[in-house]
Amino acid sequence: MKEWFDNYDARDWQTTTEGTVRFALLGLGWWTIDVALPAIANSELGEVTTLVSSSVEKAQRLAADNGVDRGISYDGFHDGEAADAYDAVYVGTPNAYHLEYVETAADLDKAVLCEKPMESTVDRAEQLVETCEQAGVDLMIAYRMHTDPAVRRARALIEDGFIGDPVSVYGNNSQPLLEMIPDHDQWRLDPELSGYGTSVMDLGIYSLNTARFLLGRDPVTVQARMSSHHEAFSAVPDERSGALLTLEDGVTMVTTSSQRAQEDTQLKITGTAGQIDMHPAFHGKCRLHLSRGEVSGTVEQTAFDSQREMREEFDYFADRILTGGEIVADGRHGLEDMRTIRAIHEAADTGEIVTLD
């Protein structure tokens, strides 16, 4: 039983140490510059060669500040400027802009790593996937929890029968958005840019997708409630959200999320024989608390922050591009989350149980 509690940080997914994927980064907000850019700089298989912004001056300034070869505008990107300088694009813009940039990337025959959620609506997400499939370009949705060693260890334990048969899941993700970004006009509070809402699209997706990844089961039915209270959330329905989902094989899942609460992240999976409690669960702070009968303990991983999570994600993507290996999560995987999020909002709006096709 000791091996259940051993430390871990191995890359069980890596298939090559040779080659480099050159990235163009689109959407130069704080996450791209402060997290994604240094993550690629510290990666084994990636290199940033191009920055893309609405302002060519901003792109060139940030490129000079960060040792990147070139900065171009979105217009230049759409026109194919500097297309020979990169192999793949990372799309880190607000949700509703993903499709147009992915369409151009597909036209340019570039692989795509697209942030989650993959678009603002299911219809636009479907267009995004179909665009890449028709063009024959690789598409990966940026679920960085998939390459977090703690999450991969939890999945291996579940597959090995540590918890027995899965019975229930509890997931929570909350943060004080207005303290983090004190701007009432930010895009996450604008449904034209964010999509169906704010808390489920931005935070609840972590619990939903990580549970799907761990268990290999998708939602079948959804019930939900949500509400908004602060004036900054007047345009979106889900300052707070809670949902009850039934997953395949009768697994019950309860998930909550809030954009105006103390930061807290948890994902707890209980089975017939044991339990795995990831708390904290997301945002580079994952820790596993394991229990099975009278045996319990905590599994610690080496220091792991959001930047290192992103390094793993970019190297995984590059590994698959360089080798032609299967990509998880691809666009079809991401579509399931979009359909579930839409169902959660529909269930909250109607007060009815919504069945997913």
Side-chain angles (χ1 to χ4, degrees):
M1 295 174 66
K2 177 181 178 297
E3 64 273 13
W4 288 339
F5 302 97
D6 287 343
N7 292 337
Y8 52 92
D9 60 5
R11 291 182 167 191
D12 60 354
W13 48 263
Q14 189 159 10
T15 60
T16 186
T17 58
E18 302 294 331
T20 301
V21 172
R22 301 169 302 160
F23 284 93
L25 307 186
L26 284 76
L28 306 184
W30 70 270
W31 180 264
T32 299
I33 296 301
D34 295 343
V35 181
L37 183 58
I40 299 172
N42 292 324
S43 71
E44 294 181 14
L45 302 172
E47 176 188 7
V48 179
T49 61
T50 308
L51 298 182
V52 188
S53 177
S54 57
S55 162
V56 67
E57 291 79 14
K58 176 182 177 180
Q60 291 176 347
R61 172 175 55 80
L62 288 172
D65 290 346
N66 291 278
V68 177
D69 291 342
R70 60 191 56 77
I72 64 175
S73 68
Y74 290 134
D75 288 341
F77 170 73
H78 288 307
D79 290 340
E81 183 180 342
D84 292 339
Y86 57 90
D87 311 300
V89 302
Y90 167 71
V91 182
T93 63
N95 305 334
Y97 297 143
H98 291 178
L99 176 58
E100 64 176 286
Y101 300 127
V102 172
E103 287 176 332
T104 294
D107 287 342
L108 296 172
D109 196 30
K110 305 299 181 182
V112 177
L113 178 59
C114 181
E115 266 301 343
K116 63 192 176 307
M118 56 193 297
E119 244 290 347
S120 58
T121 68
V122 170
D123 289 345
R124 289 179 63 82
E126 289 174 342
Q127 292 179 55
L128 191 154
V129 173
E130 291 166 2
T131 293
C132 291
E133 290 179 347
Q134 291 169 7
V137 300
D138 289 314
L139 168 64
M140 176 173 154
I141 310 305
Y143 295 107
R144 67 182 187 277
M145 301 311 299
H146 288 199
T147 47
D148 186 293
V151 175
R152 297 187 72 84
R153 180 59 174 272
R155 188 171 72 159
L157 287 168
I158 292 168
E159 291 174 346
D160 289 344
F162 177 80
I163 68 169
D165 295 327
V167 173
S168 65
V169 181
Y170 169 74
N172 176 65
N173 196 354
S174 61
Q175 65 182 15
L177 179 64
L178 297 179
E179 294 180 18
M180 299 164 58
I181 307 173
D183 178 5
H184 290 195
D185 295 323
Q186 60 182 282
W187 70 264
R188 287 178 177 82
L189 302 177
D190 180 352
E192 294 296 318
L193 298 180
S194 66
Y196 297 109
T198 182
S199 290
V200 184
M201 291 285 283
D202 193 43
L203 300 176
I205 192 171
Y206 281 87
S207 298
L208 292 168
N209 183 264
T210 307
R212 290 180 59 215
F213 180 73
L214 290 173
L215 298 177
R217 292 166 170 83
D218 292 331
V220 177
T221 65
V222 176
Q223 303 175 63
R225 295 289 186 274
M226 54 184 60
S227 61
S228 292
H229 306 266
H230 191 280
E231 61 181 9
F233 293 83
S234 60
V236 290
D238 60 332
E239 175 189 321
R240 308 171 187 173
S241 176
L244 172 63
L245 303 94
T246 302
L247 309 185
E248 293 169 320
D249 299 325
V251 177
T252 299
M253 180 172 184
V254 174
T255 177
T256 61
S257 56
S258 175
Q259 289 280 26
R260 198 166 72 93
Q262 170 143 336
E263 181 178 321
D264 182 49
T265 70
Q266 183 177 13
L267 189 67
K268 180 166 63 176
I269 300 179
T270 303
T272 55
Q275 182 180 87
I276 296 176
D277 186 0
M278 299 164 54
H279 192 206
F282 313 122
H283 312 314
K285 302 176 182 178
C286 190
R287 180 179 299 145
L288 301 184
H289 307 276
L290 308 179
S291 57
R292 180 182 169 104
E294 296 181 356
V295 177
S296 64
T298 299
V299 183
E300 299 285 352
Q301 65 180 1
T302 54
F304 221 81
D305 57 15
S306 294
Q307 185 184 123
R308 189 171 173 191
E309 276 185 345
M310 290 293 284
R311 187 191 74 180
E312 298 297 293
E313 178 182 79
F314 279 109
D315 267 341
Y316 172 90
F317 178 66
D319 180 279
R320 296 309 190 258
I321 298 304
L322 292 167
T323 64
E326 180 184 7
I327 291 176
V328 180
D330 63 8
R332 293 288 167 184
H333 179 94
L335 273 176
E336 290 301 316
D337 287 325
M338 290 298 301
R339 291 168 179 148
T340 300
I341 291 170
R342 179 178 63 182
I344 289 173
H345 279 268
E346 180 183 346
D349 185 51
T350 64
E352 304 292 333
I353 297 174
V354 174
T355 299
L356 289 118
D357 297 329

